[in-house]
Amino acid sequence: MSSISLPTYKPADFASGQDVRWCPGCGDYAILAAVKKVLASRDVPKEKYVFVSGIGCSSRFPYYLDTYGIHGIHGRAPAIATGVRCANPDLEVWVITGDGDGLSIGGNHMMHAIRRNMDMKILLFNNRIYGLTKGQYSPTSEQHKKTKSTPMGSIDTPIQPTGFVLGCGATFVARATDVNRGGVNVLPEVLLAAADHRGTAFVEIYQDCNVFNHRAFFYATEKETAKETTVHVKHGKPYIFGNNNDKAIAINRCGAIEVVNVRDVSPDELLVHDEADRCRAFMLTQMRYPEYPEPMGVIYRESQPTYHDLLWAQINEAKEEHGEGTLEDLFSEGSTWVVE
Amino acid sequence: MVSDAASSSTPTHQDLQSVAIRFCGDSGDGMQFAGTEFTNTSVMFGNEVVTFPDYPAEIRAPLGTTYGVSGFQIQFSSSEIYTPGDNVQVLIAMNPAGLKVNIEDVEPGGIVIVNKDAFTPGNVKKAGYTDNPLKDGSLAHYHVCKVPVTRLTKESLVDSGMGGKAIGQAKNMFMLGLVYWLYDRSLEQTIRALTEFFGEKKKKPRVAEMNVAALKAGYFFGETAELFPVRYRVSRAKQEPGTYRKIAGNQATALGLITAAQLAKKPLFYGSYPITPASDILHALSTYKHFGVKTVQLEDEIAAMCSLIGASFAGDIAVTATSGPGMALKTEAIGLGVIMELPMVIVNVQRAGPSTGLPTKTEQSDLLQAVHGRNAETPLIVLAARGPGDCFTTAIESVRLALKYMTPVVMLTDGYIANGAGPWRIPDPADLLPIEVAHPTERNHEIDGKPVYAPYLRDEHLARPWALPGTPGLEHRIGGLEKMDVSGDVSYDAENHQHMVDARAAKIAKAADDFPPIELNGRDTGDVLLVGWGGTFGAIYTAAQRLVDEGHRVTSIHLRHLNPLPNGLGDILRGFKKVVVPELNRGQLRMLLRAEYLVDAIGINKVQGRPFLVSELVDRVKEILSED
Ligand code: SF4
């Protein structure tokens, strides 16, 4: 009896052998390791993966994976990935981008890939700074931030990535941190859920740039604070957090969200996470440290037809209606006449 | 010679070799439709036909103004013709503004048919006339027919039950019917088109009936009103035997692309963003999904170009079309295509610039952009189509070269040939050569005794292999950073960069070995060689013929291959005392020829958003011949 043997991989099988050139201590290393682990855990042969990136520190990512890959141009990875996706529906397309690449120069492509529900994973490494160009503020940098290009402080209002993509109609929105030295590291679970999602899966990953913006997310990743500043969201579970698991999110009498002590309210007053609730998801994306804990995990998920499902459906429909086109048909359609 | 509907004589037939006729009116008057239908009828009849639609950029420009005038010129002939004609023998003017803008181009003694009802004092003034030109004697040199088209259309449709507005819109069909009568043409083709368009497609059978009624009314009016002393006949042209259809340039490009994909047995991916005058290619291709054509309308020009990078990497025939401003936006991604050495075709339907320029008018001013308009040393192949039907051939050759040399190819057309139409002899699919494409399935190289896939190991044409995602063992990563020769790994090595820049240039230069020899229209020595490219073919070819007929030692060549330039061009240039380069720009090919061959080429340059007239080329070449 023959059986189809599924590949069994170790994370190391996904290493390309190229020297990894990120700065020592960069958060990208942890993300690369987590991605390799997730890829190795799936029943997908590695030749099916195409990693596409733009420009920036994070965009070097495809070089370090032994899959197919395109290191594209600044901001355009979603558009390039759109071409890959439409050409071959059997591939698994992952986009690696950063806060500058994906939200500044590439914001437009991000918006449209998402609204089309293009079947691809988009991992946005948010380090709230421009690393590769050596330290200018980015679209996610906090206001008043002093950087090389803003000696008096940035006057820009930052963009909120998860809120933005929800507004674009994203069908999967999640957030994680590169490392977690305090609470649960949700990155593996989030990456796996993204990998299995059909449609655009957007994952924001808080990433430490330890050269130009070190400690930007330490509030969310360090032992002392992680449990107090983040909440691990799980479908069907209340939003409980805190060093002693004693805090939760509830809606007060005025309809506003507030942080409560679990002992002060009855369990049925606690808000419970519902992945399929878009309004709730938007509310979650607006919860910012220090007023609120920041949600980590799968914030929103729904199932919708993907762009290429619809694209192929139209092609098949046309073939059914007109039959497979031939050159004879093509040339002689419309009015023709014969010269003897 | 002004005749009114009342004058009477018995019409007889007079045979003509060719006629140029121009329909004009407000951009809402349906002149493009009338012109297109006259074209269809003429090609179906068996005439040679060249058309020149010319319309304002505004969809509905202000009524009655001279800048809102839309025109459609067509020359139909019983012998070979290559241009829509310098002047017209017949002008159909639906309003005073149309008359004002176009009367200059009517030959003395030519026929001018006007809709008399549109010549109200208000319209006359709006067109910039002080007095009504139908009354002030200024048209004495023409045979003017003043037809109350508005009133007659209304009267003929009184029983149609349609509203006044709908009836008003059938004026163009009344006028067309009249012109059909004058040239002894059958109404059959247009009746069918009206029935299909209004009846079947728009599901408005009553509108179809009304238009057919107006068309017939116009025809019968011609028959009974005896406006013209004679009717004219332009007999069938001698054409090569075969089956023919009418084709416009953009349509031919679309067909060529689909054909190329079929010849290569690969899916066609078309990623684009709408832009005048290229959008018709997108419209056409989007109706061919049953050929497996994937048309994706991206969010912008940049995304469109980037989608080609991805689609090509994954194995599709990747194509986009745009016009100058879009080309500018695509530039960075085209550079990525060049360094990744991926096959793709970028069609640029040129229009007048700079910037937004004159979106609906033609020009040839993107040649240097196509050849050189990218950062760094970024060579690619550039081809140009010479006429509507030639877009088909050029599109196939563009795809063939892109695949063979693993490179982006720019195919230049322009607004004039994209919208212009002519008869097209349908090729036999069996005569079209298949396009060979191979994708490696095995590792192609060894490094340190280990088999590897080397994405930049070049073949005899210096092209690299095209391994597709999904192929086990050939996983590789490429992108915009300079790569190591052979292995494709990122490399900052100085010598390697020099080698790779040179290799990319050598590869493109080598493509010239694939080009067919240059065809000479005339002898290989003489006083003047006219060198043209693109949509000016008809005017240059006809001008050269005319000059030769007048006894001048003139030859013309028309380049399809603009980068690399074809082999043997330098020798041809040296066979002539003078090299003259007519272009609808300020001398872009001339600059390339001067740089490449150190030849003191002379330009004939025009940038008016209009094609060359044969006469202006002939006159200028005569001047050049007389200068010494
Ligand atoms: S600059 Fe920052 S983000 Fe870039 S590699 Fe270094 S540490 Fe990482």
Side-chain angles (χ1 to χ4, degrees), chain B residues 129-469:
Chain B
Y129 284 114
T130 35
D131 295 312
N132 186 340
L134 302 184
K135 293 182 179 159
D136 67 1
S138 61
L139 302 175
H141 297 307
Y142 309 100
H143 178 123
V144 181
C145 303
K146 298 180 281 184
V147 184
V149 176
T150 311
R151 179 169 61 83
L152 293 174
T153 308
K154 220 181 268 172
E155 283 171 6
S156 66
L157 300 177
V158 133
D159 300 329
S160 68
M162 300 295 289
K165 190 169 169 238
I167 288 175
Q169 284 170 347
K171 288 196 302 281
N172 61 340
M173 287 300 106
F174 184 94
M175 198 58 122
L176 182 63
L178 177 57
V179 179
Y180 279 154
W181 177 83
L182 184 58
Y183 289 96
D184 197 7
R185 291 283 138 110
S186 137
L187 304 183
E188 197 189 320
Q189 148 66 29
T190 299
I191 292 176
R192 192 171 53 229
L194 289 168
T195 314
E196 270 170 23
F197 181 73
F198 289 112
E200 289 158 30
K201 205 168 146 208
K202 300 247 161 172
K203 303 269 178 272
K204 288 183 176 160
R206 284 177 61 213
V207 177
E209 280 163 27
M210 181 194 72
N211 276 287
V212 169
L215 181 77
K216 287 183 176 165
Y219 190 92
F220 296 140
F221 176 76
E223 205 158 72
T224 51
E226 299 181 352
L227 288 176
F228 306 95
V230 289
R231 291 172 83 182
Y232 301 96
R233 270 188 192 147
V234 176
S235 52
R236 282 185 181 78
K238 271 203 203 64
Q239 290 168 319
E240 240 183 284
T243 307
Y244 283 76
R245 65 184 276 193
K246 186 196 81 164
I247 207 158
N250 275 343
Q251 204 182 3
T253 300
L255 260 52
L257 294 171
I258 297 172
T259 304
Q262 298 256 320
L263 293 174
K265 299 197 170 61
K266 293 186 83 43
L268 179 65
F269 172 90
Y270 186 82
S272 88
Y273 187 74
I275 184 169
T276 303
S279 305
D280 278 346
I281 301 174
L282 170 63
H283 304 161
L285 286 173
S286 64
T287 63
Y288 292 115
K289 297 216 160 63
H290 54 302
F291 285 79
V293 177
K294 290 168 251 181
T295 53
V296 180
Q297 182 176 313
L298 276 300
E299 56 271 21
D300 59 25
E301 294 278 1
I302 295 171
M305 194 59 226
C306 288
S307 72
L308 266 58
I309 303 278
S312 176
F313 184 73
D316 275 2
I317 307 276
V319 182
T320 188
T322 185
S323 191
M327 199 67 185
L329 287 165
K330 287 177 177 339
T331 300
E332 187 195 15
I334 297 174
L336 181 63
V338 168
I339 197 168
M340 286 178 76
E341 301 191 41
L342 284 170
M344 58 191 72
V345 174
I346 305 113
V347 180
N348 177 355
V349 186
Q350 299 166 93
R351 67 190 216 189
S355 187
T356 308
L358 308 170
T360 58
K361 308 292 175 190
T362 199
E363 208 161 275
Q364 293 184 297
S365 42
D366 297 346
L367 176 62
L368 291 178
Q369 180 196 39
V371 176
H372 290 303
R374 289 164 294 282
N375 59 306
E377 298 288 345
T378 318
L380 44 66
I381 295 174
V382 180
L383 305 187
R386 59 171 60 176
D390 191 50
C391 291
F392 176 81
T393 317
T394 309
I396 297 177
E397 192 181 348
S398 298
V399 172
R400 193 186 297 277
L401 289 168
L403 294 172
K404 180 162 176 183
Y405 293 94
M406 291 292 286
T407 178
V409 172
V410 174
M411 168 174 158
L412 295 171
T413 71
D414 60 51
Y416 169 59
I417 61 176
N419 292 321
W424 180 60
R425 196 165 71 92
I426 294 173
D428 180 351
D431 294 342
L432 301 168
L433 294 176
I435 299 177
E436 309 289 342
V437 191
H439 298 294
T441 52
E442 305 286 330
R443 295 178 171 117
N444 60 351
H445 194 59
E446 264 187 26
I447 290 179
D448 302 332
K450 250 181 63 191
V452 295
Y453 173 63
Y456 282 80
L457 186 65
R458 297 174 189 279
D459 67 10
E460 70 273 25
H461 311 296
L462 303 181
R464 71 174 196 85
W466 189 14
L468 301 186

Side-chain angles (χ1 to χ4, degrees), chain A residues 18 47 62 65-71 76 79-80 83 86-87 108-109 112 116 325-326 330-331 333 336-337 339, chain B residues 43 241-242 244-245 288 290-291 294 299-300 302 307 310-311 316 426 468 470-471 474-480 489:
Chain A
Q18 286 241 336
E47 66 269 15
L65 282 177
D66 190 28
T67 64
Y68 285 90
I70 299 176
H71 178 211
R76 319 300 175 200
I80 295 171
C86 294
N108 192 33
H109 309 306
H112 292 281
R116 295 186 181 111
T326 67
L330 181 70
F331 296 161
E333 63 186 14
T336 62
W337 69 96
V339 175
Chain B
V43 289
Y244 283 76
R245 65 184 276 193
Y288 292 115
H290 54 302
F291 285 79
K294 290 168 251 181
E299 56 271 21
D300 59 25
I302 295 171
S307 72
D316 275 2
I426 294 173
L468 301 186
T471 315
L474 308 191
E475 294 84 1
H476 63 282
R477 282 105 355 234
I478 55 177
D489 290 343

Side-chain angles (χ1 to χ4, degrees), chain A residues 179-225:
Chain A
V179 293
N180 192 321
R181 300 182 184 90
V184 186
N185 185 356
V186 303
L187 186 58
E189 126 191 356
V190 158
L191 290 176
L192 195 60
D196 291 338
H197 180 71
R198 278 181 57 77
T200 314
F202 178 89
V203 183
E204 178 189 16
I205 305 171
Y206 289 177
Q207 175 240 324
D208 187 47
C209 169
N210 78 333
V211 174
F212 295 109
N213 203 15
H214 192 34
R215 313 172 77 95
F217 294 109
F218 267 24
Y219 67 89
T221 58
E222 297 313 289
K223 193 162 193 285
E224 305 71 38
T225 50

